[in-house]
Amino acid sequence: MGEWFTVEQIERDTYAISEYRHWEEPHCYLLLGARRALLIDSGLGVADIGRAVQELTSLPVLLATTHAHWDHIGGHHCFAFEDIAVGAQEQGWLAGHFPLPLSAVKAELLRGETAFPPSFDSEQYRLYQGGAAIALNDGDAIDLGEREVEVLHTPGHSPGHLCFYEPQRGTLYAGDLVYAGCLDAFYPTTDPLAFWRSIQRVHALSPRRVLPGHHRLDIPAELVGEIDRAFAGLWARGECRQGLGVRDFGAFQLHL
């Protein structure tokens, strides 16, 4: 686990499993309940995240996908089909209809000077195409035993993007909706206006803690409001649309 993943204990029953050695710096989150655990995303797939999870818990694990982009589903093959969940709108992406070819994904994966773990063979790297047994919808509740997580459909970055929210703790697991970096809404499968509406929705929840899908873990919850105001400014100028490039707001950027 130490050769690739960085594990940080956020609370006594919550861990971040991060891949800081790659330029994407993706985070996965392991939430432990009384009866089972929830793993949010599985990262790049260049090391065995299943083993990393087993070292942290003996509970049965449900793997929930924030969205079916390659850098969040790379380790899905480490888990059984019946234990994998994804937003209903992106079931097809997990079942072999991902909108990018393997060559494009590998180009992004291998970009830069990453020191991959010795066990990783880029020639053998494949997109996960095994599907998911569970379709998640807005308003679903995931009961872990004495710990419940709400499913929020938050499209914009992708059609079926999900955030996961613990109202008792005020914690939002934000995926690629909120992080300190460049937020992407320029792909053909993205939608800037839907992205803003999703930001407005999670902003209205007033989360006390926001845990992002990439880069810095310690982002302030107030970043949600900053992104909301940035979108509002773009809307006021008629710029909440694709094709305008990157807009820089200091702590984050919007790529339209």
Side-chain angles (χ1 to χ4, degrees), residues 177-231:
L177 189 70
V178 181
Y179 56 77
C182 191
L183 302 170
D184 292 329
F186 70 97
Y187 304 117
T189 52
T190 63
D191 182 335
L193 186 55
F195 202 121
W196 182 25
R197 288 171 177 157
S198 294
I199 287 289
Q200 289 176 311
R201 181 181 184 188
V202 299
H203 189 198
L205 295 173
S206 299
R208 295 189 294 275
R209 187 171 203 173
V210 177
L211 293 170
H214 294 273
H215 309 312
R216 286 176 44 200
L217 271 180
D218 60 337
I219 62 172
E222 291 76 18
L223 187 63
V224 179
E226 293 178 28
I227 298 170
D228 188 2
R229 288 187 290 275
F231 269 111

Side-chain angles (χ1 to χ4, degrees), residues 88-156:
Q89 297 82 0
E90 294 182 11
Q91 283 184 292
W93 286 9
L94 279 191
H97 304 289
F98 189 71
L100 283 180
L102 177 61
S103 59
V105 169
K106 287 180 73 170
E108 288 297 294
L109 176 68
L110 301 176
R111 178 157 64 93
E113 300 295 327
T114 303
F116 289 105
S119 58
F120 175 63
D121 182 355
S122 63
E123 294 299 317
Q124 299 301 314
Y125 182 85
R126 296 292 182 270
L127 278 170
Y128 175 78
Q129 298 183 327
I134 303 164
L136 294 173
N137 292 284
D138 187 63
D140 286 349
I142 301 173
D143 185 1
L144 304 179
E146 300 178 18
R147 188 174 189 181
E148 190 168 281
V149 181
E150 293 183 4
V151 177
L152 307 177
H153 179 213
T154 51

Side-chain angles (χ1 to χ4, degrees), residues 185-186 192 231 234 239-247 254-256:
F186 70 97
F231 269 111
L234 291 172
E239 297 180 352
C240 193
R241 53 186 172 83
Q242 291 180 326
L244 299 178
V246 177
R247 295 290 189 266
L254 298 176
H255 192 175
L256 304 170

